[in-house]
Each structure stands twice: as C-alpha cells, then as structure tokens.
C-alpha cells in the first residue's frame, strides 16, 4: 500500500536529485549489542555575529580561523542519532522538519536511504525543544513523523516551553521558537512521558543534566555493558571552539553562564570516562572523543 508518507519521501528524493548532500549521509558503529546510527538532517546557515557575545569581531574571527571554521557564516551540520537495541529503535531528537530552514529537514529522505522506517521507531527522546531538534515531530501533512513511538522529554524542558509566560519573556528574535514549540508540544500532551535527569530513559541509556543551553536540556549516555559509553550530547557542545574554550559564553545558549559551566563540567567527565560523544552540530557524523589538551580539550573525530 502506498501511503501519503511514501509519496512525501518520494517527492523529497526527487527534489534532492542533483543537489550537493552534506558530507556523508550516515555513520554507524556498535555500542555493545546495540547499534548507533547517525543520520543527517541537513545543515544550518547562521550569522556569526552573535556566536560569542563576549568577544569582539576580530578576536572571534581569529578564534574561528584557528579552529578551521569559516568566518563568513556558521554552517553546522545537524546529526540525528538512532539507537537500535533488541526489538526497540530509539531516536534522539527528530530534526527540523519541513518548516524551519530550507537547508534542513532532510531526515526523512536520509532515513529512507539508510533503510530506517519511521514506523519502526519505538522511542523518541528529546534533548531539548529548539526548532532543529523538535519541529520534525510533524511531517508535511501535520502528522506525527514517528507515529508508533513513545515520546520522552525532561520535565523541566517541557514545563519551560509550555509555561504561559515563556513567550513574553523570550527575546523578540526567538519568539518563533516558543510558538513553534508550543504548537508541537500540544500535539504530544496526551502521550508525553516526562523524566528527571539521572534516570534511565531507554535500556542502558541515562539522561544527564546539561541545563544551560535551555532550562531542561539533557544529554543521553549510552552504556555498552562492558564499561564503554557514548554520550549523545545534544547542544551542550556545538563546535570546535566548545572544546578549546569550553568556558566561553555562547550566543545560542539561553543561560550563557550556565551553558559554559555545564560545558566545562561535561568535558571533564567525558575525558575522565574516555566516553565517546556524538555532537548534534559537530561535522557529520559528529562522533569522536574529547582529549585533554593542557587545561582545555581537543575533539578527535572517529
Ligand atoms: Zn539548541
């Protein structure tokens, strides 16, 4: 039977024909008996002016150049992580969907290429509710993109975006984030399962409190059962500068001081545990390790 979703995916594939794709649409590696699969949702294109609010333009550009990042725009990849374990298939964040940016929303097409059927996803776990992580909840037809899944979000994140005064308190340039989140979270009202950091959100997956980027932001530590672990970071660490200057306040963090403190603490844990990490916005597929480098860190991809 051909469904509307098949027609949509077919259409997306057709539209994408001949266009340049993000470097590598897919990364896979084992985590014990489970498998981690990273699928691209595309790439954002953002101004760099507000990237590091405490730096002047020249200092910012020098720091970006030292870390092999462009100075004419910030173009981070968007990496969506799947975890296949036994008869369950989890996805951590759902991408941006069709209504955020023209350069994002590739997840459905890239999942089809990777042989992942959205109907097989049993668990959706959110790191936070920003547009590039949440708006893919609904497809072009305003239907749930993962119709058979249980949905989980940290209680603090849910409460923040659902609160009546969040819209009025948000700066003008981010009010659309609030409206977009509230519209989509309303769809989940009857089925969302809220959790607290420190609890298990999927077999062998622990939610780690990484608040700061948003009030209820979490990362998810996947334990492989033999002492190894992989942290699905979300947006607590976003680019090469996050490793070199974890203490530097970042414009995309809602609470910039807390975001920096969280990054410092998180990198210390990652380097100490020798845990692998997957960054939603690190160069696709976004996985590697954080090595200590003097008082800071260095990201080693792979
Ligand atoms: Zn974010």
């Amino acid at each position: 039977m051909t469904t509307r979703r098949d027609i949509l995916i077919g259409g997306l594939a057709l539209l994408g024909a001949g266009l340049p794709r993000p470097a590598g649409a897919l990364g896979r590696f084992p985590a014990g008996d489970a498998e981690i699969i990273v699928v691209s949702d595309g790439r954002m294109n953002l101004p760099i002016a507000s990237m590091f609010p405490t730096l002047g333009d020249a200092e910012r550009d020098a720091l970006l150049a030292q870390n092999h990042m462009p100075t004419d725009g910030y173009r981070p990849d968007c990496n969506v992580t799947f975890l296949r374990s036994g008869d369950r298939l989890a996805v951590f964040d759902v991408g941006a969907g069709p209504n955020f940016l023209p350069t994002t929303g590739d997840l459905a097409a890239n999942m089809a290429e990777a042989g992942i059927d959205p109907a097989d996803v049993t668990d959706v776990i959110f790191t936070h509710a920003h547009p590039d992580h949440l708006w893919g909840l609904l497809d072009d037809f305003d239907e749930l993109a993962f119709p058979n899944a249980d949905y989980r979000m940290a209680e603090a994140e849910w409460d923040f975006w659902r609160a009546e005064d969040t819209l009025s308190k948000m700066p003008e340039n981010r009010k659309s984030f609030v409206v977009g989140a509230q519209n989509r979270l309303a769809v989940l009202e009857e089925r969302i399962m809220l959790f607290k950091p420190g609890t298990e959100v999927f077999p062998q997956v622990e939610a780690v409190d990484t608040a700061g980027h948003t009030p209820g932001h979490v990362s998810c530590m996947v334990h492989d059962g033999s002492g190894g672990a992989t942290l699905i970071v979300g947006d607590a660490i976003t680019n090469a500068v996050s490793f070199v200057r974890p203490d530097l306040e970042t414009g995309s963090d809602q609470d910039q001081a807390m975001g920096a403190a969280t990054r410092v603490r998180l990198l210390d844990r990652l380097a100490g545990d020798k845990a692998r990490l997957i960054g939603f916005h690190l160069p696709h597929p976004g996985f590697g390790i954080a090595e200590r480098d003097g008082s800071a860190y260095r990201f080693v991809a792979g």
Side-chain angles (χ1 to χ4, degrees):
M1 190 184 83
T2 301
T3 64
R4 289 199 292 168
R5 184 166 288 108
D6 292 331
I7 295 166
L8 170 67
I9 290 169
L12 285 173
L14 204 64
L15 283 173
L19 292 177
R21 304 291 297 272
L26 182 66
R28 291 178 188 262
F29 61 93
D33 294 333
E35 184 185 29
I36 289 175
I37 308 160
V38 183
V39 180
S40 173
D41 187 42
R43 178 174 289 164
M44 297 203 288
N45 194 358
L46 306 169
I48 58 166
S50 56
M51 248 180 122
F52 305 115
T54 59
L55 300 184
D57 290 358
E59 202 179 353
R60 177 200 64 221
D61 287 355
L63 184 62
L64 290 171
Q66 280 162 20
N67 288 285
H68 313 290
M69 293 174 66
T71 55
D72 63 345
Y74 178 40
R75 292 182 282 277
D77 282 313
C78 296
N79 304 309
V80 176
T81 301
F82 293 81
L83 176 64
R84 195 186 289 281
S85 178
D87 58 0
R88 287 171 72 174
L89 175 62
V91 62
F92 297 83
D93 298 331
V94 293
N99 298 313
F100 183 45
L101 299 174
T103 55
T104 54
D106 297 345
L107 183 63
N110 285 337
M111 282 174 63
E113 191 175 287
I116 300 172
D117 184 341
D120 291 344
V121 171
T122 57
D123 298 79
V124 172
I125 299 149
F126 292 103
T127 63
H128 66 301
H130 274 162
D132 47 326
H133 299 254
L134 170 69
W135 288 16
L137 180 72
L138 302 175
D139 65 18
D140 265 346
F141 305 101
D142 279 346
E143 293 174 350
L144 286 173
F146 300 98
N148 301 321
D150 290 336
Y151 290 82
R152 293 184 174 79
M153 181 178 283
E155 189 171 23
E157 187 72 1
W158 176 266
D159 287 349
F160 170 74
W161 293 101
R162 296 280 285 163
E164 283 186 8
D165 58 352
T166 296
L167 183 61
S168 61
K169 286 181 180 165
M170 192 63 87
E172 201 59 42
N173 62 354
R174 289 184 167 222
K175 285 198 190 299
S176 66
F177 289 15
V178 184
V179 176
Q182 291 188 338
N183 287 342
R184 286 162 183 82
L185 296 182
V187 174
L188 293 181
E189 182 144 32
E190 301 297 323
R191 53 197 293 173
I192 193 76
M193 297 180 213
L194 302 177
F195 62 82
K196 289 195 176 2
T199 56
E200 191 174 71
V201 291
F202 188 79
Q204 301 212 304
V205 179
E206 164 206 0
V208 178
D209 182 357
T210 45
H213 180 71
T214 57
H217 189 282
V218 295
S219 305
C220 292
M221 189 71 91
V222 181
H223 297 281
D224 68 9
S226 55
T230 300
L231 187 72
I232 300 164
V233 170
D235 283 2
I237 294 167
T238 46
N239 57 59
V241 174
S242 304
F243 296 88
V244 177
R245 287 286 312 276
D247 60 308
L248 185 62
E249 295 192 4
T250 302
S252 59
D253 288 346
Q254 187 172 320
D255 183 327
Q256 295 176 9
M258 190 192 287
T262 291
R263 220 163 12 255
V264 168
R265 192 179 68 239
L266 189 60
L267 281 163
D268 182 61
R269 175 175 173 179
L270 285 169
D273 290 357
K274 299 205 183 323
R276 210 164 187 183
L277 64 98
I278 305 173
F280 192 91
H281 292 304
L282 291 174
H284 186 76
F287 53 78
I289 57 168
E291 279 186 356
R292 285 192 203 281
D293 182 16
S295 60
Y297 303 86
R298 150 175 71 221
F299 178 63
V300 181

